[in-house]
Each structure stands twice: as structure tokens, then as C-alpha cells.
Amino acid sequence: MSTPPTPPSGSPDPSGPLGEFNPLEPPPGIDPTPGAAVAPPVDPRLLVRQEGLRGYLDEFKRKVRGGELGSLPVVIGLIVIWLIFSLKNSQYFTAANAEFIAYYMVGLGMLATGLVFVLLLGEIDLSVGSVSGLAAAIYAVLSVTHHWNAWLAVVITLLSGMVIGGLQGWIFAKIGVPAFVVTLAGFLAWQGVMLWLLGSTGTINLEPKALNALFSGNSFFLGGQIFGAYLLAIIATVGFGASLFLQQRRRKAAGVPSRPTGELIARTVLLAIPVFLVAWILNKATGVPNNLVIFLALLVICDFVLRRTTYGRKVFSVGGNIEASRRAGISVPMVRISVYAISGTFAALGGLAIAATTNAAGQAGADPNNLMMAIAAAVIGGTSLFGGRGRVWSALLGIMVIESINAGLFMLGLTLDIQYMITGGVLLAAVIVDSLSRRTQKSSGRA
Amino acid sequence: MTNPLAGSYAPASADGEPVLALRGVSKRFGAVQALSDVELEVHPGEVVALVGDNGAGKSTVVKAIAGVHPIDDGQMEWEGRAVTVHRPQDSQHLGIATVYQDLALADNLDVVANLFLGREITTYGTLDEVAMEKRAQELLDTLSIRIPSVRIPVASLSGGQRQVVAIARSLIGDPKVVILDEPTAALGVEQTAQVLDLVERLRERGLGVILISHNMADVSAVADTVAVLRLGRNNGTFPMRGTTQETIIAAITGATDNAVTRRAARTPRSEGEV
Ligand SMILES: Nc1ncnc2c1ncn2[C@@H]1O[C@H](COP(=O)(O)OP(=O)(O)OP(=O)(O)O)[C@@H](O)[C@H]1O
Ligand SMILES: [Mg+2]
């Protein structure tokens, strides 16, 4: 036992670079497997990307065929939408309209962000629209009717959203009522609470204070200076590039496969082009709205939480296989409750953002159309309804699609009936794409 | 993270104290009495084969030990102490690693994420993907596992590849007992040999192994002890050395009943049929 294990002689050491860190080195007296003694031939089916552009093209084709469409359909969809509306109305493709879309998409985008967490679990939260309306009412009653400190009212409002979401999550996770039913009940009940809070007047006008001031339509990053937008673009590009290169360095140092430098540069440039384009366009109008800045910052944080922390890993694993997660020691109820709490918090924040666009908390705050559009945004952006697949950025991409359509329809002077039909159609299309891509993923073994 | 297979224990003899023991364990699923009064002992450095026909209750024993289905009656002992295992975490903390028959991998996660699920390596509270990938690659290399990439979703692996990933996953922690529920059922010839080799290496390192298999050739190749389950009850425990395969097969099929089963058959049933 005390003799150190020796590699089988006369054959290349199968353990290679492992050195002494080989846990499974056969101890003396045990025959090494014949298979292990021969250097394993390279399996021709291994996913090795060819060098150069050709390799990327092949990989891209393979992914599309495997149903890993990612954000491709959205980007194509966005371009098509912009083209159609630009042809219909010359005012559509203007900086002013871009500014309009950038500002009005934030509230719903926040609802969609919370929904992405829920969708990753493979569940749904139908209450986000009502919770957002209720949150605006709570804030209005506290800050306007009762003259509380505005920031304190904001904190209480967000906490209410968290508690409401957590409560729904608890009923779902601990009692076992299907999430669909719990949140459908919430959809009605929270709207009722909102109406009760708003009372007979029905509408409470807000004061431009605290978060409400930041969310209002005339609040721009660094006062709307040209420099402000470019500063944000620079931060985004440099941050993204730096994280890519840092990662590459760490991977190289550890000796695990890393992306070639050319690819990193290409990716950074690919991000920089739209980012600087948007900054330039918004600068031609009035600058970057502050609510958009807050929204983007939250997206960065959420993306980090989902992809780089154990918590995010738990969310994905529960969405992928509940039993596997349970056996791996993950507390499935805790993950579920916390995800619904996150969804509730984002709903409350989104509610504040929506209320700030009209400077009032009113009965329209819980418009059921908001719920539909938020769900549509998350799904259109590429987060699967079936759980386990998606990114928070889909909330941004999806809401851009939705808001681009809304702005176009608004310009064409189309009435609510047509708007509803089109939004419904877009949601259906997104769900169909999601289901189809899941089917191809299944048949190519990637579901 | 410590390595379960590093360090060399003396292969203990089966006479010492068992690291894991079940005493009179019973488990009921609604109308099905899946286990009744099951006894099982595993010593350090011992490979116990748990055999029995389909539905005999082997997987239920595994899930009882692993805390997936807590036991109704009886006692589980760990290193001589009575322990209760309510949740999978409890058994993991004791040092029991389980590879389930239904593999329980998250299909949407990649190989690395699955290997480390529930015990990720972190630095400053964030996932250390590089360290995990490096360790995963090393572990898979030493198991001679060939998979397209450690970064593809588990869904795109073949059944055998998934099996080895599941086994590798059990070795990431620091187990003292490893339970393998039909690990070779889906494997090709070479992979089966590798898994059996692996079982022997685990034994050489002083781990207790519970191996469930329908394949008598596999069992006789690596097992020290064979415990037979029949209809949820013990039907004999045999030392592998000196026992013929016919004896074991007879115990599995019920051609030979042992004293316990015969006594049990005489007494209870009548109570149910009032
Ligand atoms: N979750 C469950 N709910 C109800 N009954 C169950 C459950 N799990 C197992 N059983 C029952 O318990 C009995 C033993 O099942 P078990 O899976 O342990 O058999 P096994 O010996 O592993 O069989 P196999 O060789 O086919 O894997 C069977 O009658 C089965 O129907
Ligand atoms: Mg079984």
C-alpha cells in the first residue's frame, strides 16, 4: 500500500498531464484495462470546430439545425418590424421614435425580467400585471396620501412585491397548488386590493420625487449630455471585452480550452456596433433615459446572478430536472419561493416605472394587456416556456420587439382592437417557435 | 475538494465494524409493502452485490439509504451509530454517494454543471467554472470517458455516456460508501469493464460499495458478498468465494427459501384478510 502507484509500463501514460493528481491510477496488483493502456483514438464525432470562418459557419448551421436558435429569430424579427413600419410611416425610423420606444419599454421590461426567472423554472406567474398595479397604488397611497418619505415608500413598495411573490411561491412550493392557479388567483385578488386602495377617486397623481423622478420622462443620464450616452456605451463595451479577455487568460492559465483572441475581438466589436449606434441615435434625440439605465444595470446584475452564482445554477437545475436537483441536495421549495419573490419584486418595480410614465397611479395600472405583453416579451426574447433554457437578456430583446410594434401601431393610428390582435398573434408566434425549437432539440437530443 | 480515491487505506477485512448497516428496515408505498425487515451490512473495502428479481426492492433499498424515500421502520447505522436520513443531503453529509438507476441528471445543464451540482466550487461567492471544468476533465480522463465536450448539455449524450457521467458525479464528493444501482445495464463491453475496474479500485481504497446488478458475471467478477432480496425481504447473504452461481440464482428465484422467508410466509398474511 505504501508504494506509490506506477503507470503501466510499456504504454503511454494514459493519465497524461495529470501527474500525481490521478485519483484512479490503478493500484499495484490490478490489471489496467486494455482500453486505458492504449492511447484513446480521437473520436471522429467529437465536436471540434474547424479553424477560421468556415468552422464558425459549420457550428452555426449545426446549432440552427439542433434547434438552438438563441436570439437569432428576435433580431431578424426586429429588423422586419422596423422595415415594415418604416415603409408605412416615414416618422417611424427617427431618433424621436427610438427615444419613445427606449423610454416606454422599461416598465414592461422589468415585469418580463422577473418572469424570465419564473419561466426558467418552467412555471408561470400570471399575477405580475396586477402586482405592478398594486405596487403603484401602494406607493401612491404612502407617499401622496400619507406624505411618507418618498424613498421609504419605494422600499416598502418593493418589499410588498417581494412578500406577495414569496407568498404565492410558498403556496405553490409548500402546499403544492399548481403555480398557474395560485397566480391566477393573485391576478384577480391583487387587482381587487389595488382598486380598494385607490378608493373612489380611482387615480392618485404622483409627485416627481425619489425613484419616480428618475423614472419620469424628462430624466436623462447625466442630464442628457452627448457625453453621457457614449460613456455608457464605453462602459458596456469595455466591461464586456475585459470580462472576455480575463476569462480567456484564466482558462489558458488553467489549461482548459479557451476561445481564440480573434473571436473575442469579433464578439466585442459585435456588441460595440449596436451599443454605439443606439447611443448615437438617442443622443440625436434627448439622451439616454434614466429608467433605461436602471433597467440595463438590473439586467447585468440578474445575468450575473443566473450565470455565475450557485443560486443561478440552482434555478437552472430545478428548471431542468426537479428530482435531480432534489437528490443533489438543492432545496427545491426554497428556490421556487425565492424565484417568485424575485418576480414579485420586479413586478413592483415595473409598476413604479409604468406609473411614472403617466405620473399617476390609476386603475389602468393593472391592465391585463401588460401581463400578456410581459410574458410575450420573455418568450419572444428566447426564454423557453418549458424551463431550464433562457437568459435575462431575452427580456430586453423581447420588450424591444413588443414596444416597436406598439409604437408603430400607435403611429398608424390603429385602435386597441387591432393592437390586441397583433400582440396576441405575436405571442402565439413566439410560443410556436419555442415549441418547435424544443421539438427539434428533443429529436437531436438537446432538450 | 478532497479526492475520494486519493490516499490509501488498508483494505479492511469484512470482519470489522460495518460502515453502513440496515437493521430491520421496512418501507411501504401505499398498498405495496416494498421492503420488510431488510438487513444489510457494508464494511470498508467490501463490495456487496445486492441482487434480486425485478421489483424485488433493490432500488427502494438504495433510495432509503440515500434519503430519497425515508424508511418507515427499522434502523440505519453509520459507523456503529444509529442515524436518521430524511433528505438526500443527510446521506451525502454522512459520506454516501449514490448513482441512481434513473440517472437524475439535469438535461439542460452541461456535463461540468451536472458533475458539480449541489457542491459547486466557488471563489468569492461566484462559480469557479475554470476550476470545475479542469477537475471534471481530469476525472473523466482518468475514467477513460470519451464525450464530445464537457461543455455540451447532458441531453446530447448517449445512455452509456450519461451513466459514466453519473458515476463520475458520485466520486466528486468525499464518499465512504458508494452505491451503484445497475451501473452497467446500459454500457458496452469496454465501458462495463471500466466500471467494474472502477469498483475494484474503490474497494482497494477502502470504500464500501453496494453494487446492484442483474448480471451474474459482473457480480461474481467483483463482489465479496452477495445479498439476495426477494419480494422485499432478505433471502440469504452469501460470501462470493465458495458460493456457486446456481445457489445465488436459486435464492433469487425463490427455489430456495431461507429460514426468515419461510417463517414470514407462515405468519402474517392472514391479518390482512379479515
Ligand atoms: N415511488 C414508488 N411508489 C410506489 N411504489 C413503488 C415506488 N417505488 C417502488 N415501488 C414499488 O416497490 C417495489 C420494489 O421496486 P424497486 O424499484 O425497488 O425494485 P427493483 O428491485 O429495483 O427492480 P428492478 O430490478 O426492476 O430495478 C415494486 O413493487 C414497485 O412497484
Ligand atoms: Mg431498480
Side-chain angles (χ1 to χ4, degrees):
Chain A
M1 286 145 271
S2 50
T3 39
T6 45
S9 52
S11 64
D13 183 357
S15 62
L18 282 177
E20 56 217 35
F21 183 63
N22 183 347
L24 296 172
E25 192 74 64
I30 291 193
D31 288 335
T33 18
V38 188
V42 176
D43 192 323
R45 294 163 301 177
L46 293 197
L47 302 177
V48 189
R49 194 168 53 211
Q50 276 175 292
E51 287 296 309
L53 204 63
R54 181 71 196 284
Y56 287 102
L57 224 74
D58 285 348
E59 192 187 7
F60 177 72
K61 276 191 207 149
R62 181 169 51 74
K63 280 194 168 173
V64 170
R65 244 181 282 128
E68 282 174 90
L69 299 175
S71 33
L72 187 71
V74 205
V75 174
I76 293 175
L78 258 183
I79 293 172
V80 170
I81 290 164
W82 289 343
L83 263 176
I84 292 175
F85 283 118
S86 303
L87 291 178
K88 289 258 175 201
N89 189 320
S90 58
Q91 288 302 299
Y92 188 79
F93 210 73
T94 57
N97 192 36
E99 184 83 43
F100 178 86
I101 292 174
Y103 175 68
Y104 279 96
M105 74 180 185
V106 169
L108 288 178
M110 285 170 172
L111 301 195
T113 308
L115 272 168
V116 167
F117 282 82
V118 177
L119 291 181
L120 281 176
L121 288 188
E123 302 294 343
I124 190 81
D125 187 346
L126 297 177
S127 73
V128 291
S130 299
V131 173
S132 73
L134 174 60
I138 292 176
Y139 173 75
V141 168
L142 290 182
S143 71
V144 179
T145 317
H146 293 285
H147 306 291
W148 283 28
N149 174 295
W151 278 112
L152 182 66
V154 167
V155 171
I156 303 276
T157 303
L158 295 183
L159 283 179
S160 313
M162 186 189 292
V163 171
I164 287 172
L167 176 72
Q168 294 179 152
W170 183 85
I171 294 173
F172 160 55
K174 289 289 191 182
I175 302 182
V177 185
F180 169 77
V181 182
V182 179
T183 56
L184 186 60
F187 168 80
L188 272 180
W190 304 123
Q191 198 168 352
V193 178
M194 177 197 79
L195 293 176
W196 173 73
L197 270 184
L198 290 175
S200 51
T201 54
T203 302
I204 300 176
N205 287 325
L206 300 177
E207 293 152 12
K209 278 196 245 172
L211 203 55
N212 194 43
L214 282 177
F215 279 163
S216 82
N218 46 29
S219 164
F220 298 96
F221 187 66
L222 294 187
Q225 289 176 55
I226 303 284
F227 168 68
Y230 290 123
L231 179 67
L232 288 173
I234 290 169
I235 291 174
T237 310
V238 171
F240 181 74
S243 82
L244 283 184
F245 278 95
L246 226 74
Q247 198 183 349
Q248 187 206 37
R249 223 181 56 191
R250 288 197 53 214
R251 296 182 70 90
K252 268 187 184 160
V256 294
S258 55
R259 292 188 171 125
T261 307
E263 186 186 335
L264 301 194
I265 294 173
R267 278 171 179 266
T268 311
V269 171
L270 229 68
L271 178 84
I273 292 172
V275 162
F276 276 92
L277 215 63
V278 168
W280 177 69
I281 292 171
L282 292 182
N283 267 341
K284 289 184 75 174
T286 37
V288 188
N290 266 327
N291 68 353
L292 181 63
V293 178
I294 294 172
F295 180 42
L296 292 177
L298 286 172
L299 286 178
V300 170
I301 293 170
C302 288
D303 186 51
F304 181 84
V305 167
L306 279 177
R307 294 193 307 120
R308 295 264 170 263
T309 66
T310 46
Y311 177 74
R313 187 54 53 82
K314 287 177 189 172
V315 172
F316 275 96
S317 86
V318 171
N321 186 337
I322 294 167
E323 190 55 28
S325 313
R326 202 165 83 85
R327 292 185 193 167
I330 293 169
S331 167
V332 176
M334 279 323 294
V335 173
R336 287 177 163 168
I337 293 171
S338 58
V339 159
Y340 274 91
I342 290 172
S343 173
T345 313
F346 268 104
L349 190 64
L352 292 180
I354 293 170
T357 59
T358 57
N359 253 318
Q363 290 172 357
D367 183 357
N369 205 28
N370 286 353
L371 166 69
M372 279 304 137
M373 291 199 287
I375 295 178
V379 178
I380 290 169
T383 292
S384 172
L385 277 173
F386 302 100
R389 271 187 306 125
R391 295 148 57 87
V392 283
W393 298 107
S394 56
L396 175 65
L397 284 172
I399 203 64
M400 275 168 71
V401 171
I402 296 271
E403 227 32 83
S404 297
I405 294 174
N406 280 352
L409 295 177
F410 182 72
M411 267 184 189
L412 296 181
L414 292 181
T415 42
L416 217 56
D417 45 357
I418 307 273
Q419 267 193 45
Y420 280 5
M421 284 188 247
I422 291 186
T423 313
V426 171
L427 173 58
L428 187 64
V431 175
I432 288 173
V433 168
D434 181 28
S435 303
L436 287 180
S437 98
R438 181 180 156 85
R439 224 168 53 188
T440 30
Q441 286 194 332
K442 265 205 167 143
S443 64
S444 64
R446 279 170 187 274
Chain B
M1 195 161 285
T2 44
N3 194 302
L5 302 176
S8 55
Y9 303 77
S13 70
D15 313 325
E17 182 179 79
V19 56
L20 173 72
L22 297 184
R23 312 274 184 219
V25 163
S26 301
K27 174 74 198 173
R28 199 183 175 90
F29 293 112
V32 183
Q33 186 71 41
L35 301 177
S36 10
D37 285 330
V38 171
E39 306 272 331
L40 187 72
E41 285 192 355
V42 192
H43 298 82
E46 182 189 27
V47 177
V48 177
L50 188 59
V51 298
D53 264 335
N54 289 126
K58 306 179 298 294
S59 296
T60 309
V61 169
V62 170
K63 288 178 179 165
I65 297 173
V68 174
H69 297 316
I71 56 180
D72 299 336
D73 245 325
Q75 194 70 65
M76 181 167 150
E77 284 175 17
W78 178 257
E79 294 174 335
R81 289 177 295 117
V83 289
T84 48
V85 171
H86 294 298
R87 301 172 305 162
Q89 292 96 305
D90 298 341
S91 91
Q92 274 172 22
H93 287 152
L94 288 175
I96 301 170
T98 313
V99 179
Y100 300 90
Q101 189 174 7
D102 46 340
L103 294 174
L105 299 169
D107 279 349
N108 59 327
L109 297 181
D110 62 25
V111 175
V112 177
N114 266 290
L115 285 177
F116 286 90
L117 191 60
R119 46 180 168 228
E120 290 84 1
I121 303 176
T122 56
T123 43
Y124 306 114
T126 62
L127 298 176
D128 192 339
E129 294 285 356
V130 176
M132 287 195 278
E133 183 167 335
K134 194 165 146 72
R135 256 210 35 102
Q137 193 63 62
E138 286 165 352
L139 191 62
L140 295 180
D141 282 351
T142 54
L143 289 169
S144 308
I145 298 170
R146 266 175 268 141
I147 48 176
S149 148
V150 290
R151 284 299 178 191
I152 58 167
V154 163
S156 46
L157 298 183
S158 76
Q161 289 169 330
R162 293 163 62 91
Q163 184 74 57
V164 258
V165 169
I167 296 178
R169 176 176 153 64
S170 73
L171 301 178
I172 293 265
D174 186 14
K176 288 185 179 162
V177 170
V178 177
I179 307 176
L180 304 167
D181 193 350
E182 303 201 19
T184 58
L187 297 189
V189 178
E190 191 191 328
Q191 281 77 14
T192 301
Q194 277 162 8
V195 169
L196 296 181
D197 276 357
L198 174 65
V199 169
E200 293 199 314
R201 285 179 219 160
L202 294 173
R203 169 175 54 203
E204 293 300 315
R205 302 295 179 184
L207 277 74
V209 179
I210 299 177
L211 173 72
I212 294 176
S213 179
H214 285 291
N215 186 331
M216 288 313 289
D218 291 0
V219 169
S220 52
V222 293
D224 301 306
T225 313
V226 181
V228 180
L229 273 189
R230 178 163 168 73
L231 304 176
R233 292 167 185 279
N234 288 103
N235 200 23
T237 303
F238 309 92
M240 195 62 232
R241 200 166 293 159
T243 309
T244 60
Q245 283 199 15
E246 287 70 40
T247 316
I248 297 169
I249 291 170
I252 293 173
T253 57
T256 56
D257 283 357
N258 71 359
V260 180
T261 29
R262 211 172 299 134
R263 199 171 60 87
R266 249 187 289 131
T267 38
R269 299 285 145 78
S270 47
E271 296 167 28
E273 311 161 283
V274 183

